[in-house]
Amino acid sequence: MRRGEESAAVAPMQGGQVERSQSPERQPQLGVSSALSFRRTIRRTELHKMVPLSGTTIYDMERRGEFPRRFNLTSRCVVWDLAEVEAWIEARRKFSDAAQMKRAPFPDVRQRKRRPVKAMLAS
């Protein structure tokens, strides 16, 4: 063993991967803080990767109560609760699967002012 390396027990895992566990004296102590649940928050860039909506649409949906509310960590840092966003996505999926989501109507192309439909030109 080289200088500075820690000894760790190695246990084989499924798929040929190797799991390294720390020696008992190096394992973190489980105490009162581990009893509290860890709530992860996400920032705007991560939110946009999960929910492909524009910032304006998300803001409007928040004001109407249709999307999880953001909150400020500091005066310049706005975040969303990841569990709330994931629950919202799952609810939307169930709502869509149940065919309860009202779809937007197709636009009436005959009312176009520019690039009129060719059938309209012929008549």
Side-chain angles (χ1 to χ4, degrees):
M1 185 175 329
R2 294 183 195 155
R3 183 182 297 173
E5 288 186 0
E6 297 178 20
S7 62
V10 177
M13 291 177 55
Q14 191 175 14
Q17 296 176 338
V18 176
E19 177 184 7
R20 296 188 181 272
S21 63
Q22 295 179 343
S23 60
E25 64 272 7
R26 299 284 294 164
Q27 289 182 346
Q29 296 295 320
L30 299 177
V32 178
S33 63
S34 67
L36 301 174
S37 64
F38 177 70
R39 304 286 301 226
R40 188 170 183 288
T41 58
I42 56 174
R43 295 188 71 175
R44 187 180 313 272
T45 54
E46 206 170 342
L47 178 72
H48 285 297
K49 290 177 184 175
M50 294 176 65
V51 181
L53 297 174
S54 72
T56 305
T57 302
I58 290 172
Y59 177 73
D60 289 340
M61 290 176 76
E62 281 182 44
R63 284 189 313 137
R64 293 190 306 257
E66 299 173 3
F67 193 80
R69 300 281 303 182
R70 68 185 83 191
F71 59 94
N72 292 19
L73 284 181
T74 66
S75 61
R76 302 183 84 183
C77 180
V78 177
V79 295
W80 286 261
D81 186 351
L82 178 62
E84 290 178 10
V85 173
E86 288 175 338
W88 179 84
I89 291 171
E90 189 60 34
R92 298 297 280 201
R93 176 177 287 146
K94 288 178 183 176
F95 194 66
S96 177
D97 289 346
Q100 295 176 348
M101 186 162 302
K102 184 177 177 183
R103 297 190 57 123
F106 288 107
D108 186 5
V109 294
R110 295 172 295 182
Q111 294 180 355
R112 285 191 203 166
K113 301 226 185 302
R114 297 176 189 232
R115 290 184 34 225
V117 179
K118 289 182 182 179
M120 288 177 61
L121 294 175
S123 53

